[in-house]
Amino acid sequence: QVQVVESGGGLVQAGESLRLSCTVSGSSISSYAMCWFRQTPGKEREGVSCISYGGASTYYGDSVKGRFTISRDNAKNTAYLQMNNLKPEDTAMYYCAADPPPHSGSWVTGAGFKYWGQGTQVTVSS
């Protein structure tokens, strides 16, 4: 059984940084695209960042470009999201999702992703 566990969320002030981790158990992520999504109450889920299974391709939502960096360590079965210069509007529950072959999930909406974590809360105060 594949499990996805996020960690690293917390309460920070605007301008500070956080690094989220997403560890997968039960399967190797080496063939999985890995993504981060976020959601706040009353809003649709938003694609934050994704990285292809080989790491050659990445995606960043417009609101996080230049501030967030996604990476992966297949040996540790873990993906990361480095979040710098955090803003109050980054406050959300952040979810990690894994997309095995044939990689049919949407990097923008998360539709079609097979494995999801429970989320980690990020709160940025002004």
Side-chain angles (χ1 to χ4, degrees), residues 20-82:
L20 304 184
S21 297
C22 170
T23 300
V24 176
S25 61
S27 180
S28 170
I29 68 168
S30 61
S31 64
Y32 291 6
M34 300 295 296
C35 289
W36 290 93
F37 299 89
R38 67 186 182 187
Q39 191 167 22
T40 55
K43 292 188 177 181
E44 292 188 353
R45 183 172 59 205
E46 174 188 8
V48 176
S49 184
C50 294
I51 187 167
S52 61
Y53 69 93
S57 297
T58 57
Y59 162 83
Y60 295 96
D62 288 342
S63 61
V64 307
K65 284 179 182 176
R67 299 188 298 121
F68 290 10
T69 303
I70 193 169
S71 61
R72 62 189 298 153
D73 185 340
N74 288 345
K76 295 183 178 180
N77 242 30
T78 299
Y80 305 95
L81 184 67
Q82 178 66 43

Side-chain angles (χ1 to χ4, degrees), residues 37-41 90-95 118-122:
F37 299 89
R38 67 186 182 187
Q39 191 167 22
T40 55
D90 294 318
T91 296
M93 185 71 78
Y94 283 72
Y95 298 92
Q118 293 299 307
T120 186
Q121 178 68 36
V122 172

